[in-house]
């Protein structure tokens, strides 16, 4: 069962975070694949790199920096974020959300985030040509807040290992591919933990997952808690997300490695598949690309395919 209670007495999920640094596991080093290119115009990835990405590994591009235009350094301050918003975001409609400042600052923010949006899309189109016609860009986000001082409920706390799953937006197995660039101007890396492969996560948490209820899914939709009917796939992904985050023993003991993403670097992963947590850092740009699972090079590698195989059911 994915109960909100930790198995460790007295540790309600919301009340504290990790007691000590979990040990890095040498076997985990293969979860990162390093690519040395320095430009956003790229050739197609080698089949091995594509397979690694689709297997849930992180592609790390230490020399691929997002270049700030003259004057944009002044945007690297948390003061540009509306304190009520988690991040600043720019949609396809060019609408900027979550930012505060005068008209010139807002225009400059939109310019910087929009440029990252185009470069990230260009990068993925070139690296993964099979995705080109199938992918859809989500809003682009700029995260100027310091990760380590953010107070959050356990469920929203991305400092706990998790796979991404969204409570209000069922996605029926559509993939969440993300491009991240660390634009910290003071040499501060973004520190992540990266956990075990998706199938291991699923084998660990599926036996404790609450059963799917179609009736409950219809209620959530009627109450507009979800934007469409939550499928069994979406239910199970949330059960994995919540099961991982609410289990402090798992957070501590699961196979994992710590990775420092340097300023001036870019990294890419399927965040619905890669077990990840962000421990510290400040100033990052992020682009999400949604992709139908059927557009993958290896259709059997998706969370939907893996969960369907493990449960023996079609989940959407
Ligand atoms: C997350 O996707 O969990 C957070 C990533 C980050 O902010 O570095
Ligand atoms: Fe996440």
């Amino acid at each position: 069962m994915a109960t909100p209670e930790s198995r460790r007495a007295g540790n309600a999920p919301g009340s504290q975070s990790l007691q000590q640094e979990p040990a890095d596991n040498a076997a985990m080093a293969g979860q990162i694949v390093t690519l040395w290119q320095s430009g956003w115009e790229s050739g197609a990835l080698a089949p091995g790199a594509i397979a690694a990405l689709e297997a849930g590994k992180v592609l790390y591009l230490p020399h691929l920096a997002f270049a700030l235009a003259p004057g944009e350094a002044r945007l690297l301050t948390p003061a540009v974020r509306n304190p009520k918003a988690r991040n600043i975001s720019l949609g396809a409609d060019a609408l900027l959300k979550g930012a505060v400042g005068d008209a010139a600052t807002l225009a400059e923010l939109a310019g910087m985030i929009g440029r990252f949006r185009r470069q990230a899309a260009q990068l993925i189109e070139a690296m993964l040509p099979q995705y080109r016609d199938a992918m859809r860009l989500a809003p682009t986000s700029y995260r100027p807040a310091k990760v380590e001082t953010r107070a959050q409920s356990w469920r929203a706390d991305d400092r706990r290992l998790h796979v991404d799953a969204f409570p209000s937006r069922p996605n029926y197995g559509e993939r969440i591919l993300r491009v991240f660039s660390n634009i910290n101007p003071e040499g501060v890396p973004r520190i992540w933990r990266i956990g075990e492969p998706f199938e291991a996560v699923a084998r660990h948490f599926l036996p404790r997952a609450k059963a799917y209820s179609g009736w409950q899914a219809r209620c959530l939709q009627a109450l507009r808690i979800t934007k469409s009917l939550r499928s069994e796939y979406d239910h199970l992904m949330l059960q994995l997300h919540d099961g991982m985050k609410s289990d402090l023993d798992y957070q501590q003991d699961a196979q994992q490695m710590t990775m420092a993403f340097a300023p001036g670097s870019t990294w890419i992963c399927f965040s619905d598949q890669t077990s990840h947590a962000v421990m510290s850092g400040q100033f990052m740009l992020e682009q999400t690309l949604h992709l139908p699972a059927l557009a993958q090079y290896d259709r059997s590698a998706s969370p939907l395919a893996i969960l369907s195989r493990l449960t023996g059911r079609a989940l959407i």
Side-chain angles (χ1 to χ4, degrees):
M1 290 289 287
T3 66
E5 281 79 46
S6 161
R7 283 177 284 132
R8 200 176 283 160
N11 280 359
S15 69
Q16 56 194 121
S17 53
L18 293 170
Q19 296 297 299
Q20 60 195 76
E21 286 286 305
D24 261 26
N25 197 303
M28 294 295 295
Q31 290 301 105
I32 306 275
V33 172
T34 305
L35 303 172
W36 297 104
Q37 72 183 67
S38 56
W40 295 88
E41 326 65 31
S42 148
L45 287 176
I50 296 176
L53 176 71
E54 291 194 343
K57 297 181 186 205
V58 178
L59 302 183
Y60 178 42
L61 295 86
H63 292 169
L64 183 58
F66 176 74
L68 294 184
E72 283 177 350
R74 76 180 185 94
L75 304 174
L76 303 187
T77 163
V80 293
R81 180 179 63 99
N82 179 340
K84 291 191 192 122
R86 199 172 151 107
N87 300 308
I88 296 173
S89 73
L90 182 76
D93 50 8
L95 202 68
L96 189 69
K97 289 189 185 158
V100 287
D102 57 25
T105 303
L106 298 180
E108 217 167 352
L109 273 171
M112 177 180 81
I113 302 170
R115 203 167 67 252
F116 178 73
R117 183 178 176 87
R118 289 188 296 278
Q119 292 185 341
Q122 179 187 16
L123 180 73
I124 297 300
E125 283 177 8
M127 282 181 152
L128 298 145
Q130 192 173 302
Y131 293 179
R132 191 178 297 149
D133 296 327
M135 68 190 201
R136 182 171 59 79
L137 268 64
T140 313
S141 93
Y142 169 39
R143 307 183 186 188
K146 205 170 189 163
V147 169
E148 51 275 44
T149 51
R150 218 158 50 185
Q152 279 164 333
S153 70
W154 67 269
R155 199 175 256 130
D157 187 358
D158 290 337
R159 289 172 294 192
R160 300 174 183 221
L161 285 169
H162 64 283
V163 289
D164 287 348
F166 304 112
S168 65
R169 283 172 283 139
N171 71 18
Y172 292 78
E174 189 178 47
R175 305 306 314 279
I176 304 169
L177 179 63
R178 292 191 150 163
V179 181
F180 304 90
S181 283
N182 182 353
I183 57 169
N184 188 289
E186 284 157 351
V188 179
R190 201 163 186 97
I191 308 286
W192 275 28
R193 290 187 290 142
I194 297 167
E196 60 187 353
F198 183 85
E199 182 156 344
V201 172
R203 286 185 185 276
H204 190 97
F205 287 100
L206 275 184
R208 312 150 192 228
K210 282 188 207 143
Y212 176 68
S213 154
W215 175 85
Q216 204 171 47
R218 285 190 292 280
C219 280
L220 291 172
Q221 186 183 18
L223 294 169
R224 295 172 198 261
I225 294 171
T226 58
K227 295 198 167 80
S228 56
L229 187 74
R230 185 182 285 173
S231 66
E232 184 169 6
Y233 170 79
D234 290 286
H235 167 79
L236 289 177
M237 289 299 288
L238 283 168
Q239 289 287 304
L240 299 187
H241 172 275
D242 289 2
M244 294 169 85
K245 280 189 175 174
S246 64
D247 185 340
L248 290 180
D249 288 337
Y250 180 80
Q251 292 293 323
Q252 189 74 45
D253 301 337
Q255 275 210 334
Q256 57 193 277
M257 63 175 289
T258 301
M259 176 69 193
F261 294 108
S265 76
T266 294
W267 62 106
I268 305 166
C269 72
F270 278 108
S271 65
D272 53 354
Q273 179 174 15
T274 305
S275 165
H276 63 285
V278 58
M279 307 316 288
S280 63
Q282 188 175 19
F283 305 119
M284 184 181 74
L285 288 161
E286 176 268 331
Q287 179 65 54
T288 297
L289 302 113
H290 293 297
L291 184 81
L294 293 180
Q296 289 185 222
Y297 291 79
D298 177 3
R299 294 177 181 186
S300 72
S302 68
L304 176 59
I306 292 170
L307 291 176
S308 301
R309 171 162 56 76
L310 294 179
T311 58
R313 284 196 297 283
L315 300 171
I316 55 171

